[in-house]
Each structure stands twice: as C-alpha cells, then as structure tokens.
Amino acid sequence: MRNWHFIDGETIRLNGQWEFYPDAFLPPEPFSSIPTDKSWAVVPAAWGSYSDNNSNRTGFGFGTYRLKLLLPDNNVDQYGMEMMVVSSSYELFVNGRSVSKLGQPSENKQEHVGKMYPHIASITGTHEMNIVLHVSNYDFPAGGGITKPIKFGTLASVQYENNFLIAMQLMVAVIYLLHLIYVGLLPLLGVRKKELFYFAIVVFCMMTGTLLDDNRLLTMWLPISLHWTIKGLMIAMIGASTLLLTFSASFFAVYQKGKAVRVYLFLCFLYTLAIAILPFHYAITLLPYMAAAVTVPSLFILIMILRLALKGEEHMIFLLFAAMSVASSIFWGSVKLRFGSDLPYYPFDLIFAFICFASFWFKQFLQTRTNLEQLAFKLQKADKAKDEFLANTSHELRNPLHGMINMAQTVLASTTHSISEASKNNLMLLITVGRRMSLLLNDLLDVTRLKDRDIHLNKESVRLQNIISGVFDMLRYLTEDKPVRLEMNISRSFPKIIADENRLIQILFNLIHNAVKFTNEGHVSVHAEAIGDKAYIHIQDSGVGIEADVQRTIFQAYEQGDSSMTAMSGGFGLGLSICRQLVELHGGKLTVYSIPGKGSTFTFTMLLDPHSAADEPEFILPSAVEAALSVKSVIAADSQLVRLDQRKAASETQQNKAAVLAVDDDPVNLKILFNLLDSEFYEVATVTSGKEALKLLETKEWDLIIADVMMPQMSGYELTQTIRKRFSISELPILLLTARSRPEDVNTGFMAGANDYVTKPVDAMELRSRVQALTDLKQTVNERLRIEAAWLQAQIQPHFLFNTLNSIASLSVIDQSRMVQLLEEFGKYLRASFDMKNSERVVPLQHELDLLHSYLFIEKERFGNRLQIEWELDELPWLRIPPLSIQPLVENAVRHGVLARSSGGSVRIRLKEYGDYIEIAIIDNGVGMEEEKVRNVLEQSRGGIGLRNTDRRLKQLYGKGLRIESTEKQGTFVSFTVPKSSANDGNSNEL
C-alpha cells in the first residue's frame, strides 16, 4: 500500500515497488481475496531485470502488477492516470473496473496485439484505489512491463501536461513541414540542386521521427502496427543523421569525395536495409548500435564545420551552432530509444538549429544580393561602355569602308576593258563583302540609337511591292548555288502603307536575308494582307525552322540559335532585335511562327495609308530604293561570283594540281576560298552542304577537305566524323574553319578527326601555308603507297624465281622451243615488274594486262592442266587503272585458291562495262575461305603483294575498295569498280 500526497495542479509519478505476479492474470477483485505469495517489482523497469526465484525469466510473457493508493480527502471528483509506455499491451483496472486498455494483452502469443503510446485514463475520485494492471509482451525480447513512469494526478493537471507535450511536438512537426514546403517549391522556381534534395529528406526523416517518438502522434492518426512504429523510428533516426552527413558533404565540396564518408554511408545503408527487411524480433536486436550510428555523423559534421570556421569561412558560426543543436537532439533521442530514460520532450534544440540554418541562409542571401547589385552596377557601366565603343568603332570604320567600296566601284567602272574577267569578279566580290559589312556597322549604330531612343522616323506613304522587289535584287546572289525561289505574292492593287522607307528596307532586308540563309531548298515568299487599318506582311520560308526554346529569345540582342539545325554562325545576332524595335516604333508588332524542319513565318504589321488609291496604274520606284539599286548591275554580277568553272580543259599543268574540296553554306565564303587557292597548284571544287561533299567523295580522289564548322543540317564536326569512317587521318586530310578559337572548340575538332584548323576571319598567308602542308602530306602518303606497291612487286619471291628457272632448265632438255618462249615471257615479266610506271597513280589497262599475261604464262607452263585460265574482257582501250591492281589479285587466286587443291582449278578474269562504271573481277573455284577469314583478310595480308595495299589505293582513288566473297571449298570472288568519270583521266581528278 502507498499513501500519496499531492496538491491540485501537479502530477506525481507512481515509481517504486509494485506487487508483481508473473505468468498470471489476477482477477481485478479486492486485495483481501488475493493470495499473498507475490514478488516485488521496481517501476519503471522491464520485468526481465526483476530479481526473484525465477532467474531464467525471459522478456516474453505476461503478468499482473498491483498497487493500492490511499488518497487524501480533498474533494477531487476526477483523477487522471497517464500510462506513458507499457510494453507492449495492457489493461488497467481500478477498484475492479476496467478504465483503460491499449492493444490486447493475452496469455498466449497468438491472441496478443501490441500497442505502445501514452494514454490517459479517467478515474472517479475516491479515498482508496486498488490498481490492477494486466500486461503481456511478445514483441521485445529485452523485456516487457512498465518501462516508463506512470503519471497520476487530477485529470486537469495530467491532461495539461500531456497537451503541453503534444503541442511542443506538433509545433516542431509544423516547423519541419514548412521547411519541406519551401524546399519543394524551390525546384518549381528553377532552383535544382542535389543539396536541396538531401535537406528535404533530412527534414522529412526528422519530422517522421518526431511524430513516432514520445507521444507517438502518428500511430494515433494512422493504423501503424507496433513493429513498424519502432522500425520507422529507427529508420528515421538513421536517415536523418546519415542524410545530414550527405547534405553537409555535398554542401562543402571539399568533402564530397571522402572515402571514409562513402564507406560510412554504405554501412548505414546496409544497417537501414536490415532493419527494414528483417523480422521484428531480429531487427530489434540491432537497436544497441543505434547510438553509434547517429553519433558518428554528428561528430564528423561538427569537426568539419569547426575546421571551416577556423579557416575563416564566412558565417560558419551559424552552421556550427545548428550542427551542435541537431547532434544534441539526435543523441538524446537515441538515448531515450535505447535506454528508455524518463527524459522530458524538449524541442528547443531543434528550433534553435533551424533558426541558425535560417540565419545562415538569410545572411548568404543578403550577401549574394549585395554582390549582385554591385555586379549589376558594374555590368550597366560595362554595357554602356560597350555601346559607346561599338558606336565609336562603327563611326570610325564607316568612312574607310565606304571609301574602299567607292574606289572598287570606280576601278570596276573605269577599267572594264583592260582587266581580266577574274579581276572583275574579285572587285565585285569586294564590293559585295563591303556592303554586307556596311550593313553590320549600321546595325551596331542602330543598337545604340534604339537604346537612347535617338531614332526619328520619317514616315510617308510607300508602296510595299517596290521595296520588296529591290530587296530581292540585293539578296538574289545568295540563291545562285541552291534551289531556293524568291517569290512576292502581293497584288498590284495592294494599298500603300505608312512607314519610314529606309527603315522598312532595313526590316525586310534582315528578315528575308535570314530566311534565305537558313533555307537550303524550296522557297522564300513574301505576301501581305489588309485587315482593318493594318497591313500584315508575312515572310515565309521552307527552311530548317526554329526550336521552341530559341523562339523565346530570338528577338533579344546578341542572341543567336547555336545548333546544327540553325547554324547561326554569322553576324552579331542583332538583326531580329533591331527589326522588332523598328516595327514597334512604327506602332506595329513582329511575331514568329515556326516548326523545326518545316520552315518559319515572320509577320509584322504596318499602318495602311487611308488616302492610298487602290487602282494606281504603275509603280514608281522611291528614291531610296533607286539608291539601293544604283549598283544593281554590280549586285546582279555578284550572282556569278560563286559559280565554279567546271569546264576547264585538261592540260599538263592541271595533272599535278592538288584536288581541294571546300564546304561552306555561305557562297561568299566559298568564293573567297576559291580565289585564295585557285592557282596553278590547286584544283578547287566547292559545295554548300555536308551531304553534297559526301556525294563528291564517291566521284574522285581528293587531296584535302576544307569545311566550315557551323553549317545547317550537318556541321563540320559531323562531316569530319563521317569521313573518318572511310578514310584515315593521313589518307584524306581535313582542315576546319571555325569562328571560335576556345581550347574546347579546337579540341572538339581534333577529337572529331580533323588534321588542322584555321580561325575566322581567315588570313590568306596562313590558309595557304596550312593547305600546302596538308596537301603535301596527302601526296606524300599516296607516293609512299605507290612506291610500296612497286617495291612489293619488285620483291619477287625467291621460290617463284627458282621454280621458274628450274622449269626453264627442264624444258631445255625436253622442248627447247617452249624453253625459249618461257624465257621471253619471264623477261617480259621482270621488265614489267621493275617498270617505273608502277610508281605512277594510274597506267593504261594494257600495261597491267601485259604483266598479267606473262605471269599466267609462266604459271601455266609450271602447273599444266592443274591451272585453267578463262578470259572475259570487254574492249576498253581507253581504260586507265591503278598499277599492280589486277595482277596481285590473280596471283592470290592462283597460289592460295586453285593450287591449294590437289586437282587444281580455274581462274576467270572478267572486265565488264556497265552504265557508269567498269567492273574488274577475279573468280576462282579454289579452296575458298571461312566467313571469319573473309572479314579479316584485308587486315591480315602479309608477304608478296598485299591485298591491303591494293584496297587502300583503290579507296583513295575511287572511294571504294575491294569486294570479297568466298565460300569454303567452292571458291572466291574478288572485284573492284572504276567509275567512268575517272577511268580515262591520267590524274583521276576530273569531276
């Protein structure tokens, strides 16, 4: 019996000795009827620690606790009893009546249901209370029973204390939830960092642990079993500590690659996985390791932040206090979970931790904002200085530029009959490039004027059709080398518009120029419609189109799409920005609609002239357009600048020229390259796309490819990679032209397979030097291959020589006439083998056939009927082929195919003419080859005349090598083709 004294408003803890009856559920009757054989239990404690006669008691089982309370007569109507934690289910009886029950206590394990969370029982006031508590535990092997104090007092005081603890836990949970909400919103605002993800998981784990610990509010709201309540609490504590370590390590990059951190995180992952998947009675045995698991990262974080603070890192003191507070909360939580200590719930360390985190981030935000304001001020000054510099530079360059253009026009006009056609073309090219540069300088001036609102429009009534016609004439030269039509679909009756004529020309020029530039085939059309008092002018093309993300920024200054589809490699990116601002100054609006791969439509509006007569009979060119077209003859002549003269007569000097293929989507750039390299040393061909270049590779042998990096559809990098699949870096050199000289851009070019690069604008001397070096390399490699082939042919194998001499010696006894004939053919064979023609690029077909006839005559004399020769030759006297290209194939068929069989076989040599090529085939019915050997034969050729050498020379000349088909024990088919376009050309350089 106990006589407890307390005052109203306070609670007491019923700690101390209770009567305990193990392995028995005593009926809740008056104590006088209960046997007196009992033991004593010290509360709170698990019953596995009780000392009595049964020293082998385990933690599992059931029993009864009893306690009599003698209360003072203080007129209290309602008492409250809070059962903090009774492991793991109980039923409370007071004076024989059940007043509280949690779970289902039972004498057998099957009927037992465990539940553990604080619960308040309401008890009617009385002077004497007989308390009987039935308890069962089949969940915790360490022991069941009353493991935490039982609070007793007036109902109001017990509920007040309990509600205070619940309020504290809810307050902390709400703080966690608020942090989760703003961390979840940050990615939606564009802030995507892995540190935020780690922090969100830390906050979620701490919030979950708070709701599963102490009053275990989550188990009251959700149907969570006791096992998963304990497992969830353990996992939450491990997750909070380990993810806090991951968050800290990622936040401070110096620790991201620490081996110790990775090993510890891996061990914690295994520990958490074991808790989650193991049965509860095994998982609970891992609880003793909890303190170490959560303490190690806390100490590491403290040490890490302390070291950074000592190094003078800004604002580290806030993180240091935050880490100390979090470590304190995690540590005491693990102590409560492990030892069941009667520690009150206090959220102040966590609240302080988040205040420190908030202070740290707020401090960083303020400092970042201050830095951004300073940077913005500096950028504004730099932007203004940039605009002033561009304006001054434009003014300084305009006068000499226009002087150069005027001088070139004067020379062209005054010396028309005294200079060559090539010089005329060069002067016209100079004028065209100068005018394009003048337009760029005007754009730079307009940018500054538009910013300063210093542009004044001289609006008047203008006829749209005349303006567009003039702009078409200025841009027609861009369409000369690609199938693009310029179309104006505006009726003669379309009314005039109100606009500044010069600015309207500028708007249309930029829009149509862009449309032509990014249209490879199809059309660029301009049409207009009158709706209300406005004219809607549409510039439509069938070009590459514009990606959706580029459309959002395309009207911003200095913005250019940078992809293989758009390939905006020229200009400053000012044209569309200026167009939009000029249209807006006119009171209109410029918009774009585009589908990638299908084309674009730019639309802008202008006001219609209300006094315009719809039926004006004729067009009158405004003065500004006349001025723009005053050099129409020059501009029209510019259309011929990029036409290549493909009909040059072959001459002796041309046979030694290096064949250069230039690839650029800009015809003007191609003309410049053509002029720089078109001399007695180079034969230059030009194309405007990578696809055309790949087609030309099939037609002839090229010594050098010069490719622009930024081209539509196929960039220079992609073209280089495609070529490298067929030709090695020495077999076909590639020189890239790029406007970018950053190390990463140059490295990308070399990684793609380029031999060299030249940055734009191109320096003539540098370009010629690099071209000469690369073409010399190619010609040196070709020469080495031809010499190698001739040398190999000259290395007549000793056994062939000895066998032939033995055959001659034998015939001297048997048949002297045959001996003489064999000697003659052997001499022819030796002369053909040592002939210097074998080092040339191509030779007449008859030269190769003479060598082949001599070789086969000798072999036929040696092997008789074992070797049968079949000839199937079309009449091709004009055909020229690489030397030593047929004889090695026949020799290989004889030695390794037919004669490898004891019965011998036949070899058929076939030369057949088809539509645009000649096929040369050697067919035998010898031993054949396995499929794997066929695949590797060109890589494994050794000795004699290597097939690999022949294959490489054929690829260089014609783009295609040997084709080999073979079936084991049936024979082999080897062939190659010679295009007719290069079959009768001694240098194989004519398209």
Side-chain angles (χ1 to χ4, degrees):
M1 294 185 183
R2 288 291 182 94
N3 188 0
W4 298 89
H5 299 278
F6 58 93
I7 61 176
D8 191 19
E10 293 184 356
T11 60
I12 61 173
R13 285 164 172 75
L14 302 181
N15 296 339
Q17 289 188 340
W18 287 51
E19 293 179 9
F20 178 60
Y21 299 87
D23 302 324
F25 279 169
L26 300 183
E29 299 175 357
F31 286 5
S32 59
S33 64
I34 302 300
T36 58
D37 53 333
K38 59 180 180 297
S39 61
W40 292 97
V42 178
V43 176
W47 62 38
S49 63
Y50 300 162
S51 176
D52 58 10
N53 296 330
N54 187 4
S55 59
N56 296 323
R57 181 183 302 125
T58 66
F60 297 133
F62 60 96
T64 302
Y65 288 89
R66 291 200 327 170
L67 183 68
K68 178 177 285 189
L69 288 180
L70 298 179
L71 303 175
D73 187 8
N74 51 6
N75 299 321
V76 177
D77 294 331
Q78 292 289 327
Y79 289 99
M81 183 179 294
E82 182 179 13
M83 313 296 290
M84 292 294 290
V85 173
V86 178
S87 178
S88 60
S89 67
Y90 72 88
E91 185 170 9
L92 176 66
F93 300 90
V94 177
N95 295 334
R97 185 172 62 88
S98 177
V99 296
S100 179
K101 182 178 180 180
L102 191 63
Q104 178 60 55
S106 177
E107 298 176 354
N108 57 74
K109 183 178 180 180
Q110 288 73 20
E111 298 178 2
H112 166 85
V113 177
K115 281 284 187 179
M116 287 177 57
Y117 58 80
H119 185 69
I120 297 177
S122 178
I123 305 171
T124 303
T126 180
H127 176 67
E128 180 179 313
M129 290 187 182
N130 294 315
I131 301 173
V132 177
L133 187 64
H134 290 176
V135 180
S136 66
N137 172 52
Y138 297 98
D139 299 300
F140 297 98
I146 304 172
T147 57
K148 285 196 176 182
I150 296 178
K151 298 180 181 179
F152 183 82
T154 61
L155 182 60
S157 62
V158 173
Q159 287 179 339
Y160 174 81
E161 186 172 330
N162 182 67
N163 291 338
F164 177 78
L165 294 177
I166 291 176
M168 290 295 100
Q169 293 175 70
L170 286 176
M171 180 180 67
V172 174
V174 169
I175 292 175
Y176 289 146
L177 182 61
L178 291 175
H179 281 78
L180 271 180
I181 291 174
Y182 79 70
V183 171
L185 290 176
L186 286 176
L188 300 179
L189 300 176
V191 182
R192 294 178 177 87
K193 293 185 177 181
K194 61 182 179 180
E195 292 86 354
L196 292 176
F197 176 71
Y198 296 146
F199 183 73
I201 299 179
V202 170
V203 174
F204 177 78
C205 289
M206 296 180 73
M207 182 177 70
T208 304
T210 299
L211 295 176
L212 288 176
D213 199 6
D214 292 289
N215 287 68
R216 300 183 179 173
L217 301 176
L218 201 58
T219 62
M220 299 180 188
W221 303 333
L222 301 174
I224 303 175
S225 67
L226 175 62
H227 292 180
W228 277 106
T229 299
I230 304 303
K231 280 188 174 185
L233 182 57
M234 296 171 65
I235 292 172
M237 295 183 68
I238 291 292
S241 59
T242 54
L243 267 299
L244 185 63
L245 175 60
T246 307
F247 164 71
S248 303
S250 63
F251 194 75
F252 304 106
V254 68
Y255 295 99
Q256 282 187 10
K257 299 181 179 180
K259 184 176 180 181
V261 173
R262 294 198 301 269
V263 171
Y264 173 77
L265 292 176
F266 179 72
L267 293 177
C268 287
F269 170 75
L270 295 180
Y271 182 52
T272 306
L273 188 63
I275 293 174
I277 65 176
L278 288 177
F280 181 74
H281 60 279
Y282 290 119
I284 201 66
T285 60
L286 301 176
L287 188 59
Y289 305 102
M290 178 69 68
V294 299
T295 303
V296 170
S298 301
L299 293 176
F300 179 82
I301 294 171
L302 282 173
I303 294 172
M304 179 177 63
I305 297 177
L306 184 59
R307 290 179 61 183
L308 293 173
L310 293 176
K311 288 182 180 179
E313 294 285 343
E314 281 192 292
H315 318 312
M316 284 296 107
I317 190 65
F318 296 107
L319 290 183
L320 182 61
F321 285 138
M324 292 173 62
S325 301
V326 172
S328 172
S329 178
I330 294 176
F331 175 76
W332 287 112
S334 63
V335 169
K336 288 174 64 177
L337 182 63
R338 173 66 182 87
F339 301 105
S341 300
D342 183 23
L343 293 174
Y345 180 81
Y346 59 100
F348 308 109
D349 49 4
L350 294 176
I351 295 175
F352 183 71
F354 278 99
I355 290 175
C356 290
F357 275 123
S359 301
F360 173 75
W361 285 323
F362 188 67
K363 201 68 172 164
Q364 276 201 327
F365 169 76
L366 291 178
Q367 183 172 353
T368 303
R369 181 176 178 180
T370 302
N371 293 339
L372 287 176
E373 289 176 350
Q374 294 175 352
L375 287 175
F377 179 72
K378 292 180 180 178
L379 285 175
Q380 288 174 354
K381 291 181 63 178
D383 185 59
K384 186 175 181 180
K386 177 261 300 179
D387 290 338
E388 293 176 355
F389 170 77
L390 290 177
N392 294 334
T393 302
S394 300
H395 279 293
E396 293 297 328
L397 291 177
R398 287 183 72 187
N399 289 335
L401 178 62
H402 282 276
M404 292 166 57
I405 296 173
N406 294 334
M407 289 175 63
Q409 289 178 336
T410 302
V411 172
L412 184 62
S414 60
T415 58
T416 303
H417 303 291
S418 60
I419 61 176
S420 65
E421 190 66 26
S423 297
K424 290 180 183 178
N425 290 337
N426 289 336
L427 283 173
M428 288 188 287
L429 177 63
L430 176 62
I431 295 171
T432 302
V433 174
R435 291 195 173 277
R436 289 182 63 183
M437 186 175 177
S438 178
L439 291 174
L440 290 177
L441 293 178
N442 290 337
D443 285 344
L444 290 175
L445 286 173
D446 287 341
V447 168
T448 305
R449 291 174 180 173
L450 286 168
K451 281 189 175 182
D452 296 337
R453 301 184 180 275
D454 192 28
I455 287 184
H456 302 285
L457 300 179
N458 182 24
K459 294 182 181 181
E460 56 185 353
S461 179
V462 296
R463 186 172 290 279
L464 184 62
Q465 299 92 326
N466 292 355
I467 302 293
I468 296 173
S469 178
V471 172
F472 275 2
D473 286 335
M474 285 189 284
L475 293 173
R476 202 173 301 279
Y477 74 95
L478 291 175
T479 65
E480 291 296 328
D481 282 331
K482 54 183 179 180
V484 177
R485 304 183 309 277
L486 297 178
E487 302 173 352
M488 180 176 62
N489 302 319
I490 303 177
S491 66
R492 295 173 59 90
S493 61
F494 193 83
K496 293 181 178 181
I497 61 175
I498 301 297
D500 184 311
E501 187 175 336
N502 291 315
R503 296 303 177 184
L504 182 58
I505 293 174
Q506 186 176 2
I507 294 169
L508 288 168
F509 183 90
N510 280 329
L511 293 177
I512 298 174
H513 179 270
N514 275 347
V516 173
K517 184 177 181 181
F518 300 122
T519 302
N520 299 312
E521 59 180 351
H523 70 279
V524 174
S525 63
V526 182
H527 62 279
E529 55 183 340
I531 302 177
D533 61 345
K534 292 183 179 180
Y536 288 78
I537 299 101
H538 309 280
I539 294 88
Q540 186 178 32
D541 65 69
S542 58
V544 297
I546 306 171
E547 297 289 344
D549 56 341
V550 178
Q551 292 182 38
R552 290 190 291 268
T553 61
I554 198 170
F555 294 117
Q556 298 177 11
Y558 306 105
E559 286 289 337
Q560 292 178 295
D562 191 9
S563 67
S564 60
M565 287 298 295
T566 54
M568 295 183 180
S569 57
F572 297 111
L574 296 173
L576 292 178
S577 173
I578 293 173
C579 286
R580 186 193 63 177
Q581 295 182 72
L582 289 177
V583 169
E584 291 175 351
L585 283 177
H586 282 83
K589 186 177 182 181
L590 174 61
T591 58
V592 61
Y593 173 78
S594 181
I595 300 176
K598 295 186 178 181
S600 305
T601 300
F602 286 85
T603 301
F604 67 94
T605 60
M606 291 283 173
L607 289 175
L608 292 171
D609 183 2
H611 306 293
S612 174
D615 55 350
E616 291 185 8
E618 60 182 355
F619 292 69
I620 302 175
L621 289 175
S623 58
V625 177
E626 288 180 346
L629 299 179
S630 61
V631 291
K632 182 175 179 180
S633 59
V634 176
I635 299 298
D638 289 344
S639 63
Q640 307 297 325
L641 292 181
V642 294
R643 286 184 180 170
L644 305 180
D645 189 358
Q646 303 277 348
R647 297 168 295 179
K648 290 183 178 179
S651 63
E652 292 297 326
T653 58
Q654 285 180 320
Q655 292 185 0
N656 295 323
K657 286 186 177 182
V660 178
L661 177 60
V663 190
D664 198 313
D665 62 325
D666 191 331
V668 175
N669 291 342
L670 290 177
K671 181 59 180 177
I672 293 173
L673 287 174
F674 185 84
N675 287 340
L676 288 177
L677 300 178
D678 186 28
S679 66
E680 57 182 301
F681 303 107
Y682 304 105
E683 179 186 354
V684 183
T686 60
V687 291
T688 57
S689 70
K691 291 183 179 179
E692 295 180 68
L694 293 177
K695 290 180 182 178
L696 284 185
L697 288 181
E698 306 287 345
T699 62
K700 61 180 293 183
E701 179 185 10
W702 299 96
D703 294 300
L704 177 64
I705 305 294
I706 302 177
D708 185 28
V709 169
M710 300 305 295
M711 295 186 294
Q713 296 184 344
M714 179 180 289
S715 68
Y717 297 142
E718 294 173 308
L719 176 62
T720 302
Q721 291 172 340
T722 304
I723 293 175
R724 283 292 166 256
K725 295 178 181 177
R726 290 177 47 189
F727 299 97
S728 69
I729 200 168
S730 60
E731 291 173 342
L732 182 55
I734 299 175
L735 176 65
L736 292 181
L737 300 180
T738 173
R740 304 178 177 183
S741 58
R742 297 181 303 173
E744 53 266 32
D745 297 315
V746 175
N747 180 66
T748 302
F750 283 125
M751 293 298 292
N755 295 70
D756 204 350
Y757 77 97
V758 174
T759 57
K760 295 180 180 180
V762 177
D763 180 79
M765 182 177 297
E766 179 185 7
L767 179 67
R768 291 193 185 102
S769 300
R770 293 182 185 272
V771 169
Q772 180 179 352
L774 292 176
T775 52
D776 288 349
L777 168 66
K778 173 61 165 46
Q779 292 177 351
T780 301
V781 171
N782 289 348
E783 186 69 20
R784 184 186 65 82
L785 286 174
R786 293 194 295 271
I787 293 175
E788 175 187 350
W791 179 83
L792 289 171
Q793 179 63 21
Q795 306 304 305
I796 301 176
Q797 297 185 8
H799 68 83
F800 175 79
L801 179 63
F802 295 151
N803 290 337
T804 303
L805 292 176
N806 287 336
S807 298
I808 294 172
S810 299
L811 289 175
S812 67
V813 178
I814 300 173
D815 191 338
Q816 292 187 358
S817 62
R818 289 175 60 192
M819 178 197 72
V820 171
Q821 191 174 1
L822 181 59
L823 277 172
E824 290 177 354
E825 293 297 335
F826 186 51
K828 292 179 182 179
Y829 177 79
L830 293 177
R831 283 195 300 273
S833 297
F834 300 135
D835 197 331
M836 290 303 296
K837 287 184 179 180
N838 293 334
S839 63
E840 295 179 1
R841 180 173 293 183
V842 291
V843 296
L845 174 64
Q846 191 58 45
H847 173 80
E848 186 74 4
L849 292 180
D850 289 343
L851 175 64
L852 186 59
H853 277 292
S854 299
Y855 169 75
L856 290 176
F857 183 89
I858 295 171
E859 295 292 68
K860 181 69 175 173
E861 285 294 330
R862 289 179 56 201
F863 297 102
N865 293 331
R866 286 185 62 200
L867 177 62
Q868 301 298 324
I869 308 298
E870 301 176 12
W871 298 89
E872 185 180 337
L873 307 178
D874 287 354
E875 291 293 330
L876 303 168
W878 45 268
L879 179 62
R880 300 175 69 86
I881 63 174
L884 306 175
S885 56
I886 302 179
Q887 192 273 341
L889 305 181
V890 175
E891 181 178 348
N892 191 69
V894 171
R895 292 177 54 195
H896 302 295
V898 172
L899 297 181
R901 298 175 55 179
S902 58
S903 59
S906 64
V907 176
R908 179 153 52 108
I909 297 98
R910 185 177 73 192
L911 275 74
K912 192 168 183 62
E913 182 179 5
Y914 292 93
D916 56 353
Y917 67 92
I918 297 96
E919 182 189 58
I920 301 173
I922 290 81
I923 308 158
D924 69 74
N925 60 356
V927 295
M929 293 180 288
E930 299 176 352
E931 183 178 353
E932 182 178 357
K933 188 174 181 180
V934 172
R935 289 196 299 267
N936 300 328
V937 67
L938 294 180
E939 302 296 329
Q940 299 176 350
S941 178
R942 295 184 178 91
I945 303 299
L947 293 180
R948 185 177 181 183
N949 178 280
T950 305
D951 180 70
R952 289 177 62 188
R953 289 187 293 127
L954 290 172
K955 284 182 178 178
Q956 289 187 357
L957 284 171
Y958 310 127
K960 295 181 180 179
L962 296 175
R963 182 166 70 95
I964 302 176
E965 300 175 2
S966 183
T967 303
E968 194 172 5
K969 298 182 180 179
Q970 294 185 21
T972 303
F973 175 92
V974 183
S975 69
F976 64 91
T977 58
V978 179
K980 284 186 178 180
S981 59
S982 50
N984 60 353
D985 185 354
N987 201 27
S988 290
N989 278 341
E990 181 176 303
L991 286 174

